[in-house]
Amino acid sequence: MATRQPDLVLISWSRNPLVAGSARRIIAARVIGNAVPCRPSLRPNGLLNTALACLLDNDVGFKVVFRKKTSSINGYILLQRN
């Protein structure tokens, strides 16, 4: 019997450099496995905070395993659910 592989979500985000304090928006998201029920919140140009609120909810069960800010206006986040 095969062991179940973890679900992974990689999100690339950016903020508008011309507007101070602008919200972080999703540029692209890649799901390996399953991201139910948060799949609709992972759309390009969606708010990163909305997607993270769904994914990090206790009932959904994702956890941030890696976070990297590549500059002052963009970065990426990797989340995993076992």
Side-chain angles (χ1 to χ4, degrees):
M1 182 171 205
T3 58
R4 179 165 153 63
Q5 296 298 315
D7 296 322
L8 299 171
V9 176
L10 177 63
I11 302 173
S12 176
W13 62 267
S14 181
R15 70 173 75 221
N16 186 342
L18 303 176
V19 179
S22 64
R24 295 178 293 175
R25 297 209 171 257
I26 298 171
I27 297 171
R30 174 76 172 161
V31 177
I32 300 172
N34 195 347
V36 171
C38 302
R39 189 77 172 180
S41 66
L42 296 172
R43 68 188 188 290
N45 207 33
L47 291 173
L48 178 63
N49 286 343
T50 303
L52 288 178
C54 181
L55 292 165
L56 296 174
D57 184 272
N58 287 337
D59 294 335
V60 178
F62 278 92
K63 292 186 180 354
V64 174
V65 292
F66 189 77
R67 181 184 306 236
K68 177 72 175 171
K69 198 171 180 183
T70 54
S71 73
S72 62
I73 59 165
N74 58 20
Y76 54 91
I77 298 174
L78 177 65
L79 299 103
Q80 177 180 345
R81 172 172 61 188
N82 288 327

